[in-house]
């Protein structure tokens, strides 16, 4: 009751899109200055949020988008704009949040969504679930989704060791680099959305 090809294909697709190695500097930048226990909890929260969003869209993706009259390109553009705002904050050093929402907000936005559960991952899961016609294929799809989230959690969880090595000065450098990377991801996501709109018109 398991199709290795389906599992491997979706896992690799999600690995490229969700990019566990690439999320490390962004995670370190967004969680810098917090106690280790809080950072570990935020890593777990972010993965849970991403997993929840991916699961909901995997089960009800088309119905949700149709009900809201939202197209996939529109979702991509909106996610790109949100990421761009966060990237600008990282580049300018304006990463402070109100204390009462500090932990929760970072885990929800941008870590959980749209960084991890972004438009690309959501669309890939929607299509994979639709194409999985047998029970074995369905099991393989959901196993791949679970596996990539375990990998994401492990990468973020153990990236905290890096903070002990690079110290405060290194964190500032990582924050600026993360802002540059994130802004490039955001712009590319907006470009992809606009391109799909043009192609569809």
């Amino acid at each position: 009751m398991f199709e290795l090809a389906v599992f491997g294909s979706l896992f690799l697709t999600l690995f490229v899109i969700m990019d566990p190695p690439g999320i490390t500097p962004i995670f370190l930048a967004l969680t810098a200055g917090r106690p280790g226990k809080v950072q570990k909890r935020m890593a777990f929260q972010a993965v849970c949020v991403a997993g929840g969003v991916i699961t909901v869209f995997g089960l009800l993706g088309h119905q949700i988008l149709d009900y809201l009259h939202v197209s996939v390109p529109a979702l991509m553009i909106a996610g790109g704009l949100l990421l761009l705002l966060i990237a600008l904050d990282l580049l300018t050093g304006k990463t402070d949040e109100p204390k009462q929402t500090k932990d929760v907000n970072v885990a929800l936005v941008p870590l959980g969504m749209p960084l991890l559960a972004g438009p690309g991952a959501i669309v890939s899961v929607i299509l994979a679930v639709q194409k999985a016609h047998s029970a074995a294929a369905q099991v393989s799809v959901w196993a791949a989704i679970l596996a990539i989230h375990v990998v994401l959690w492990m990468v973020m969880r153990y990236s905290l060791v890096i903070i002990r090595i690079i110290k405060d000065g290194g964190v500032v450098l990582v924050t600026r680099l993360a802002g540059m990377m994130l802004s490039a991801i955001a712009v590319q996501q907006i470009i992809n959305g606009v391109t799909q709109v043009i192609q569809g018109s």
Side-chain angles (χ1 to χ4, degrees), residues 125-141:
V125 169
I126 291 174
L127 294 176
V129 171
Q130 280 187 328
K131 293 177 182 177
H133 300 298
S134 66
Q138 286 285 343
V139 170
S140 303
V141 165

Side-chain angles (χ1 to χ4, degrees), residues 16-140:
V16 171
I17 294 172
M18 301 175 89
D19 191 15
I23 201 67
T24 301
I26 298 172
F27 172 75
L28 292 175
L30 291 173
T31 61
R34 296 170 174 85
K37 289 183 179 179
V38 173
Q39 290 174 313
K40 293 172 185 176
R41 186 172 71 247
M42 291 171 68
F44 182 72
Q45 288 176 338
V47 170
C48 287
V49 169
V53 171
I54 292 290
T55 299
V56 169
F57 275 93
L59 296 172
L60 304 168
H62 270 294
Q63 293 90 323
I64 293 173
L65 295 180
D66 290 343
Y67 177 77
L68 296 174
H69 303 290
V70 174
S71 66
V72 172
L75 188 65
M76 295 180 71
I77 294 170
L81 290 173
L82 177 60
L83 288 180
L84 188 57
L85 290 174
I86 296 162
L88 292 175
D89 281 345
L90 289 175
L91 284 170
T92 57
K94 298 177 181 177
T95 56
D96 292 334
E97 298 175 79
K99 291 183 179 179
Q100 66 270 22
T101 60
K102 192 174 182 180
D103 298 345
V104 176
N105 282 351
V106 173
L108 294 175
V109 178
L111 286 176
M113 184 178 181
L115 276 177
L116 298 181
I122 288 172
V123 172
S124 297
V125 169
I126 291 174
L127 294 176
V129 171
Q130 280 187 328
K131 293 177 182 177
H133 300 298
S134 66
Q138 286 285 343
V139 170
S140 303

Side-chain angles (χ1 to χ4, degrees), residues 134-164:
S134 66
Q138 286 285 343
V139 170
S140 303
V141 165
W142 292 105
I145 293 170
L146 177 62
I148 191 63
H149 283 82
V150 171
V151 170
L152 285 166
W153 174 76
M154 290 181 65
V155 168
M156 289 191 292
R157 164 70 173 75
Y158 292 102
S159 68
L160 299 177
V161 177
I162 298 173
I163 294 179
R164 300 172 190 168

